């Protein structure tokens, strides 16, 4: 076999493997095997000096481009009409039904929130990738598009064709990128637009983009396929697609839209698209000068908007941590008026280059207080956000630990002490009813309470000085204080208010160590052996006991020193596992249950904290990483043997 033929075979094999991995999401070989074949191809290309058109080595990007050339679409691209309510959607459908004389079957798809990408193929080869531009002419971004691994460089169909899809950056890919990025990406849409419209193609390649296709815009003339057929055609030609549902009953379509849970998707959508399936019906309905009358976008409420950042105030929490709170020009978002947003810490402010007076992007996810994603526009007279040197609650000089600033005034910083008192008494902590923010303020101001253990020395006379503490309430409170002495270890550990230790972690710690003394004596190395505890949490715990051992001692004097049964000493006690690949007999859930029952824990990714990797068939990247880190790797047989010993 000559070298060229060898190259062709290798390329076919590699492209097929990439299709299974990136499009079907069903890898059949490990990354290592893929890499070996890839390296073989690179060597052949070097020795022959030939790189074939569909070679995957073309995907990595070369020298930066000088400028974007323009591309005229084979057929103009239309945009979509939109509606914001089910009633508008019903009205749209009724109009179609009127015009056609029957209820047309419609397809339902996600409205992906990314960047339109059009690909032209000729003779089965990808010839151009382009942005939408003004619909007639866009920018050529062929090399950028080629970095997207799920895009086929060659397809079986060999006529002239233009397919349209949405370039997206998955939320998981974005989060991963932001973990180490000097300047974090603000949102998936900006992330993909910035990556595709980047002249340095190697940068594009780093973003791990994806394109999901939904339209055959041109197929040796106007495309005459129904929407369902278009998706089928795209699938058969190895494009990534996604259609959800088809019905001629608008109520069924609405019910389907209602089921969509945006938060559960790994990509951003800003609505749903409803399209008449049939071509003859489409022809009857026609187009306006902007959009087809046979399709409509049902827009979801925006989760993101911009507004002016008016000020930043620093709040002191129960651990003494200072958190910046952004004060915003009030703005409507998801049906609520947003006036405040979080910024995580000073480093976060710097990374996002947030300044007072600038317009910022804010996003609301679920019900939590909105987050500032980045700056939309810097104001000319923008003011830098100063890094506080003193605590806003008490004026003490703050100190830095990791990414955060802390107030050291444990007993004298009013907001800090009050927050700690309220937290200590909460239901999921010591469950002492009646200590609201207001009561805690009076405990601090009128009775001089500076620390939770002092609650146990309060008398009815003392409490008489606090507003609202009549006889009954006082009795109840004193009784609640007394009975809290028998709180169990998980509740007590939670009540201490250690930074980064919440209810779940407190329970894990209690079951692992069995007593406060054992926990206090543990070093970071021991702590990270506890399931779900990483280095940051471990550090918070050791810091707490190093600084505040006297707190625990005082509780002991009062008689609060709960212990609990340690979780059984299983064979995997304290070991952290990662599962990868398909095991011959056990499902993932079964393997996980066995590990946990034996005292081990399962982590999602391989890191230095991993102890054992349980690998099955077609294990991929995780296995490679485990090897690179020199981790213990076992198969199912070995795993079962270990369990039985
Ligand atoms: S179809 C003739 N389908 O939305 C209809 N567009 O507002 C052509 N988009 O420019 C578009 N998801 O970038 C269609 N499932 C989907 C879509 C979708 C996202 C974008 C696309 C288009 C814009 C129109």
């Amino acid at each position: 076999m000559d070298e060229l033929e060898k190259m062709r075979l290798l390329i076919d094999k590699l492209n097929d493997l990439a299709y299974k991995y990136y499009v079907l999401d069903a890898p059949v070989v490990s990354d290592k095997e893929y890499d070996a074949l890839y390296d073989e191809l690179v060597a052949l290309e070097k020795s022959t000096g030939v790189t074939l058109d569909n070679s995957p080595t073309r995907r990595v990007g070369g020298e930066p481009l000088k400028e974007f050339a323009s591309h005229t679409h084979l057929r103009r691209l239309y945009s979509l009409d939109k509606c914001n309510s089910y009633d508008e959607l019903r009205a749209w459908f009724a109009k179609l039904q009127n015009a056609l004389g029957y209820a047309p079957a419609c397809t339902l798809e996600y409205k992906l929130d990314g960047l339109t990408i059009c690909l032209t193929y000729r003779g089965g080869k990808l010839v151009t990738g382009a942005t939408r531009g003004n619909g007639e002419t866009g920018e050529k971004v062929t090399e950028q598009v080629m970095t997207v691994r799920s895009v086929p460089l060659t397809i079986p169909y060999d006529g002239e064709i233009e397919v349209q899809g949405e370039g997206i950056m998955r939320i998981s890919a974005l989060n991963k990128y932001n973990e180490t990025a000097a300047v974090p990406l603000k949102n998936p849409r900006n992330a993909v637009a910035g990556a595709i419209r980047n002249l340095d193609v190697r940068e594009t390649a780093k973003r791990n983009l994806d394109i999901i296709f939904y339209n055959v815009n041109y197929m040796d003339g106007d495309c005459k396929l129904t929407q369902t057929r278009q998706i089928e055609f795209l699938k058969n030609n190895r494009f990534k697609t996604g259609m959800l549902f088809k019905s001629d009953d608008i109520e069924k379509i609405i019910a389907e839209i209602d089921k969509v849970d945006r938060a559960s998707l790994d990509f951003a959508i800003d609505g749903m698209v409803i399209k008449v399936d049939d071509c003859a019906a489409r022809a009857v309905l026609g187009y306006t000068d902007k959009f087809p009358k046979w399709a409509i976008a049902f827009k979801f409420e925006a989760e993101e908007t911009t507004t002016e950042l008016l000020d930043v105030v620093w709040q002191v929490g129960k651990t003494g941590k200072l958190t910046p709170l952004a004060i915003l020009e009030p703005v409507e978002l998801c049906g609520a008026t947003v006036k405040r947003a979080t910024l995580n810490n000073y480093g976060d402010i710097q990374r996002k280059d947030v300044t007072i007076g600038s317009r910022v992007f804010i996003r609301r996810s679920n019900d939590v207080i909105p987050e500032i994603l980045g700056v939309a526009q810097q104001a000319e007279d923008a003011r830098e956000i100063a890094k506080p040197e003193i605590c806003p609650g008490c004026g003490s000089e703050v100190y830095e630990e990791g990414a955060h600033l802390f107030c050291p005034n444990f007993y004298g910083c009013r907001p800090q002490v009050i927050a700690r008192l309220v937290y200590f008494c909460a239901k999921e902590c010591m469950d002492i009813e009646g200590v609201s923010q207001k009561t805690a303020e009076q405990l601090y101001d009128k009775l001089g309470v500076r620390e939770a253990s002092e609650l146990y020395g309060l008398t009815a006379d003392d409490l008489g000085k606090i507003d609202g503490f009549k006889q009954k309430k006082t009795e109840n409170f004193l009784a609640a204080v007394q009975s809290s002495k028998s709180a169990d270890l998980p509740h007590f550990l939670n009540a201490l208010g250690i930074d980064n230790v919440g209810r779940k972690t407190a329970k894990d710690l209690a079951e692992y160590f069995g007593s406060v003394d054992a926990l206090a004596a543990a070093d970071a190395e021991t702590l990270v052996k506890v399931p779900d505890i990483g280095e940051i949490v471990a550090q918070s715990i050791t810091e707490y006991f190093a600084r505040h051992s006297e707190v625990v001692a005082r509780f002991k004097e009062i008689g609060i020193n709960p212990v609990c049964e340690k979780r059984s000493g299983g064979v995997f006690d304290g070991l952290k596992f990662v599962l990868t690949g398909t095991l011959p007999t056990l499902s993932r859930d079964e393997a996980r249950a066995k590990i946990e029952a034996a005292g081990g824990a399962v982590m999602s990714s391989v890191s230095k904290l991993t102890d054992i990797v349980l690998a099955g068939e077609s294990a991929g990247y995780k296995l490679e990483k485990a090897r690179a880190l020199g981790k213990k790797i076992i198969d199912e047989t070995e795993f079962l043997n270990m369990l039985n010993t």
Side-chain angles (χ1 to χ4, degrees):
M1 188 175 13
D2 70 0
E3 291 193 311
L4 232 76
E5 185 54 23
K6 223 186 209 167
M7 273 162 68
R8 274 194 203 103
L9 287 176
L10 261 175
I11 289 172
D12 284 349
K13 171 105 191 153
L14 283 162
N15 285 342
D16 191 54
L17 293 174
Y19 169 68
K20 288 181 174 130
Y21 188 95
Y22 292 104
V23 181
L24 302 182
D25 211 3
V28 288
V29 295
S30 70
D31 290 11
K32 191 179 164 162
E33 287 161 275
Y34 180 91
D35 290 347
L37 295 172
Y38 188 93
D39 292 345
E40 204 180 315
L41 175 64
V42 172
L44 279 168
E45 287 180 348
K46 210 165 166 194
S47 70
T48 56
V50 178
T51 306
L52 294 169
D53 282 344
N54 58 342
S55 166
T57 65
R58 290 185 179 271
R59 290 189 187 273
V60 291
E63 289 300 306
L65 308 173
K66 296 258 170 335
E67 59 180 3
F68 290 110
S70 69
H71 167 81
T72 305
H73 298 294
L74 299 188
R75 184 175 156 257
R76 80 162 267 197
L77 297 173
Y78 285 89
S79 93
L80 288 169
D81 192 7
K82 58 173 187 276
C83 65
N84 297 302
S85 70
Y86 290 144
D87 276 345
E88 284 174 72
L89 182 58
R90 288 186 182 104
W92 170 81
F93 191 78
K95 216 157 115 189
L96 300 191
Q97 195 170 350
N98 232 342
L100 294 167
Y102 63 93
C106 288
T107 59
L108 179 68
E109 299 168 359
Y110 290 129
K111 186 170 186 317
L112 299 148
D113 195 8
L115 182 76
T116 298
I117 302 284
C118 273
L119 306 183
T120 309
Y121 288 80
R122 222 171 278 128
K125 279 189 195 142
L126 172 66
V127 287
T128 314
T131 62
R132 178 179 189 280
N134 60 10
E136 310 257 352
T137 313
E139 285 171 331
K140 245 186 213 165
V141 286
T142 316
E143 293 189 43
Q144 286 81 350
V145 163
M146 282 168 69
T147 67
V148 180
R149 306 281 167 161
S150 60
V151 166
L153 301 179
T154 52
I155 56 172
Y157 182 79
D158 70 354
E160 189 175 40
I161 190 171
E162 185 170 85
V163 293
Q164 181 186 359
E166 199 78 355
I168 57 165
M169 183 163 184
R170 288 182 186 274
I171 294 163
S172 53
L174 183 130
N175 290 340
K176 189 150 189 216
Y177 181 94
N178 276 354
E179 272 172 23
T180 54
V183 181
L185 300 166
K186 295 183 187 85
N187 62 37
R189 185 168 18 86
N190 284 353
V192 70
I196 292 283
R197 300 196 63 264
N198 196 323
L199 290 166
D200 186 351
V201 182
R202 279 172 293 204
E203 269 313 304
T204 319
K206 284 188 199 155
R207 300 264 174 110
N208 288 318
L209 305 179
D210 216 338
I211 306 181
I212 298 182
F213 291 86
Y214 46 69
N215 190 25
V216 179
N217 189 46
Y218 179 96
M219 194 180 204
D220 297 314
D222 279 4
C223 174
K224 296 281 177 349
L225 299 177
T226 66
Q227 185 64 18
T228 320
R229 278 289 169 78
Q230 285 187 38
I231 299 293
E232 221 173 82
F233 170 87
L234 287 165
K235 255 195 194 123
N236 290 338
N237 281 277
R238 303 194 144 197
F239 293 98
K240 210 175 223 179
T241 59
M243 191 187 102
L244 300 180
F245 186 72
K246 186 166 87 173
S247 173
D248 61 3
D249 181 346
I250 193 67
E251 294 309 322
K252 286 197 179 139
I253 291 177
I254 288 173
E256 217 48 42
I257 298 177
D258 232 25
K259 281 192 219 155
V260 173
D261 174 16
R262 279 166 104 177
S264 71
L265 301 173
D266 193 26
F267 43 81
I269 60 173
D270 58 347
M272 303 298 291
V273 183
I274 301 95
K275 298 172 181 168
V276 170
D277 195 32
D278 183 55
C279 302
R282 286 185 178 192
V284 172
L285 296 165
Y287 292 79
T288 71
D289 59 340
K290 288 210 192 79
F291 46 74
K293 293 188 198 163
W294 44 260
I296 196 161
F298 174 85
K299 296 275 281 187
F300 290 143
E301 241 169 334
E303 285 179 325
E304 205 182 289
T305 186
T306 66
T307 188
E308 191 184 330
L309 175 66
L310 302 176
D311 199 5
V312 169
V313 295
W314 293 81
Q315 294 187 313
V316 202
K318 66 178 192 301
T319 63
K321 192 191 275 175
L322 269 59
T323 331
L325 181 72
I327 311 293
L328 306 169
E329 176 66 36
V331 63
E332 288 297 311
L333 186 59
C334 289
T337 309
V338 175
K339 297 180 191 146
R340 283 147 202 267
T342 44
L343 282 156
N344 299 314
N345 51 46
Y346 190 71
D348 195 35
I349 293 173
Q350 280 184 312
R351 286 206 314 155
K352 292 174 177 168
D353 198 17
V354 177
T355 54
I356 295 168
S358 56
R359 272 201 97 69
V360 290
F361 281 109
I362 58 168
R363 159 178 284 276
R364 250 182 93 139
S365 38
N366 302 326
D367 280 325
V368 294
I369 159 160
E371 185 193 7
I372 293 195
L373 303 162
V375 174
Q377 203 178 15
Q378 289 285 2
E380 270 179 28
D381 55 352
R383 274 190 297 129
E384 294 277 321
I385 297 164
K387 183 172 175 178
E389 285 173 5
I390 58 164
C391 169
C394 69
S396 308
E397 203 174 307
V398 298
Y399 68 97
E400 250 178 295
E401 201 174 274
H404 299 279
L405 297 168
F406 287 86
C407 165
N409 191 1
F410 193 75
Y411 298 110
C413 176
R414 187 174 180 274
Q416 188 184 148
V417 172
I418 290 170
R420 211 156 39 234
L421 286 175
V422 172
Y423 184 77
F424 183 86
C425 297
K427 192 152 192 61
E428 65 273 20
C429 296
M430 300 301 265
D431 194 14
I432 302 173
E433 217 184 318
V435 183
S436 62
Q437 170 78 18
K438 210 172 134 231
T439 306
E441 285 171 7
Q442 295 189 64
L443 287 170
Y444 184 97
D445 294 333
K446 296 191 178 166
L447 303 184
V449 174
R450 294 291 178 268
E451 212 255 304
S453 61
E454 292 167 25
L455 297 175
Y456 296 85
L458 294 177
T459 63
D461 277 354
D462 293 332
L463 294 164
K465 295 177 192 144
I466 296 185
D467 300 342
F469 270 73
K470 303 238 166 62
Q471 195 190 346
K472 187 82 198 141
K473 185 162 178 178
T474 303
E475 279 169 17
N476 287 346
F477 177 79
L478 289 172
V481 169
Q482 283 313 309
S483 75
S484 77
K485 284 187 180 171
S486 54
D488 63 13
L489 186 57
H491 283 82
F492 179 59
L493 289 181
N494 192 23
L496 289 178
I498 303 169
D499 198 16
N500 294 311
V501 175
R503 193 157 39 161
K504 158 92 172 52
T505 309
K507 185 164 177 282
D508 291 346
L509 290 169
E511 285 173 357
Y512 192 91
F513 291 100
S515 71
V516 187
D517 285 343
L519 172 63
D523 57 10
E525 217 170 278
T526 314
L527 286 163
V528 294
K529 293 215 166 75
V530 183
D532 291 337
I533 289 192
E535 280 163 4
I536 292 180
V537 183
Q539 198 198 340
S540 300
I541 296 168
T542 52
E543 285 287 339
Y544 178 86
F545 288 107
R547 286 177 187 276
H548 307 303
S549 54
E550 79 288 355
V551 174
V552 177
R554 256 180 255 132
F555 281 119
K556 259 193 206 167
E557 278 167 28
I558 301 167
I560 303 177
N561 187 17
V563 288
C564 80
E565 188 114 339
K566 285 212 253 177
R567 230 197 326 217
S568 77
V571 277
F572 294 149
D573 244 3
L575 293 180
K576 295 191 173 181
F577 278 75
V578 170
L579 304 177
T580 177
T582 316
L583 298 173
T585 66
L586 293 174
S587 74
R588 266 176 188 244
D589 284 344
E590 285 163 345
R592 172 189 290 271
K594 283 187 189 298
I595 291 168
E596 289 177 350
V602 178
M603 309 160 69
S604 58
S605 58
V606 179
S607 73
K608 10 183 230 236
L609 301 179
T610 310
D611 295 300
I612 300 180
V613 173
L614 172 54
E617 188 74 6
S618 355
Y621 169 72
K622 290 180 189 172
L623 182 59
E624 290 315 305
K625 188 153 180 208
R627 288 210 180 102
L629 291 174
K631 296 292 171 190
K632 179 172 177 135
I633 298 162
I634 59 170
D635 63 10
E636 188 184 286
T637 319
E638 203 174 335
F639 173 70
L640 294 173
N641 281 340
M642 285 169 90
L643 266 179
N644 290 329
T645 51

